[in-house]
Amino acid sequence: MPSPRMLRFVDVDGLAFAASGGKLKEALLSRAYEPHRLGPMLELVQLSPGRLPRPNGWLTRNESSTLLDALDRNVTCWMSRSGTRMGFIRNTRSAGDPQFTDFLMSAKRAGRDAGLTREVAGQLVAAMRELHDNIAEHAQAPHTGTVAFRAESGAFEFVVSDRGVGVLSSLCTCTEYAGLRDEGTALQAALRDGVSRHGSNVRRGYGFRPIFVGLVNLYGELRFRSGDHAVTMDGTGPGIATSRISQKVHMEGFFASVRCSVEGRGDA
């Protein structure tokens, strides 16, 4: 078997499609994967109930595996004490919850330690908070929410996810958006200002648009998943961004992955 390679979203997609076609065993035998980036690792966790085996059972072991182990133990809040700064907190918290505030402050310090400016680290933490608040606002299953971060030299990433109703079901509770065809069009709609299940006249939305504008140009890689679609964006410099939508294997709930790197220091 070839030596393990870093697990990426393209691998997650491939494994999920292999599983849906009954060919997962062959796919796992052909390549060993090592968890490194937070987003792909936690998307596997999101897919694992009924779609894929539990990832900490077959991914190769490294420092990031300790996060998977902690998730598997169903702990509520965990942060690594090793060299790689990472952690997670589960269940949606109130805005003033001291444990969540401490968690966000730890994430901000990790971003600064990774080499991000104070301003960029603050933007990332604000985005984490905004997406966390959306779980309580829209998911209809706040107890399923998870917020996680990982920092390394030159890069910071975070994931916010839930196992709620998903973007399409949430938006379709509003008659204004009842005509949305699928999760892909629902995700695209959610990227526009003021779009939410409350309608466009109440000046409330999912909060994706500010994240897209503020972070994608910071050498950012963003991936939003709901149902059987994903929207991905990346920026290679200020003012340059692309957005792509694609169909995936169905996944319960909502999943957002954001990764930003210091200019010239992120890997491909």
Side-chain angles (χ1 to χ4, degrees):
M1 181 184 293
S3 59
R5 73 177 182 190
M6 183 193 304
L7 182 74
R8 297 178 183 271
F9 282 121
V10 64
D11 302 311
V12 175
D13 292 337
L15 290 169
F17 280 118
S20 67
K23 299 181 179 180
L24 180 61
K25 184 177 181 180
E26 294 89 334
L28 292 177
L29 288 174
S30 66
R31 169 71 69 173
Y33 297 100
E34 183 176 11
H36 179 64
R37 288 196 178 184
L38 186 70
M41 185 169 66
L42 293 189
E43 189 165 319
L44 275 183
V45 172
Q46 190 88 342
L47 283 163
S48 61
R51 295 287 179 182
L52 294 169
R54 289 157 63 168
N56 60 344
W58 54 268
L59 292 175
T60 60
R61 303 288 301 179
N62 66 5
E63 194 173 44
S64 295
S65 304
T66 58
L67 186 146
L68 290 175
D69 292 340
L71 281 170
D72 201 44
R73 295 197 308 271
N74 290 319
V75 297
T76 301
C77 186
W78 175 90
M79 280 188 280
S80 172
R81 300 186 183 278
S82 62
T84 300
R85 302 286 296 277
M86 57 185 167
F88 67 82
I89 191 166
R90 295 210 248 211
N91 304 329
T92 302
R93 312 302 178 100
S94 63
D97 181 273
Q99 190 176 37
F100 186 58
T101 299
D102 289 345
F103 175 81
L104 292 178
M105 292 301 296
S106 295
K108 187 173 182 179
R109 286 193 298 270
R112 296 284 287 123
D113 291 345
L116 303 180
T117 66
R118 186 181 302 275
E119 179 183 6
V120 172
Q123 280 183 271
L124 286 161
V125 169
M128 291 169 67
R129 185 189 295 275
E130 179 72 31
L131 285 167
H132 162 271
D133 292 346
N134 279 335
I135 295 174
E137 181 79 16
H138 304 292
Q140 299 181 30
H143 61 285
T144 66
T146 299
V147 183
F149 72 89
R150 183 184 186 278
E152 61 183 347
S153 179
F156 180 93
E157 55 185 328
F158 72 84
V159 166
V160 179
S161 64
D162 65 69
R163 299 186 184 278
V165 298
V167 174
L168 178 62
S169 293
S170 177
L171 285 179
C172 283
T173 61
C174 175
T175 56
E176 186 175 351
Y177 306 114
L180 289 172
R181 301 186 307 277
D182 54 42
E183 292 280 3
T185 54
L187 279 169
Q188 287 179 313
L191 291 170
R192 299 197 298 268
D193 285 328
V195 174
S196 83
R197 64 185 178 86
H198 302 290
S200 60
N201 296 323
V202 296
R203 300 182 182 275
R204 296 168 70 182
Y206 274 90
F208 298 168
R209 182 67 180 174
I211 296 170
F212 163 64
V213 172
L215 298 181
V216 75
N217 291 326
L218 298 173
Y219 298 88
E221 302 166 23
L222 285 68
R223 176 168 165 120
F224 296 119
R225 283 273 272 123
S226 183
D228 60 354
H229 278 78
V231 171
T232 56
M233 311 170 199
D234 61 79
T236 55
I240 301 173
T242 58
S243 174
R244 298 173 299 280
I245 186 165
S246 54
Q247 192 159 11
K248 307 294 181 186
V249 170
H250 186 274
M251 184 175 72
E252 183 181 15
F254 174 76
F255 180 93
S257 169
V258 175
R259 185 180 193 274
C260 288
S261 59
V262 177
E263 181 178 353
R265 296 177 65 183
D267 54 30

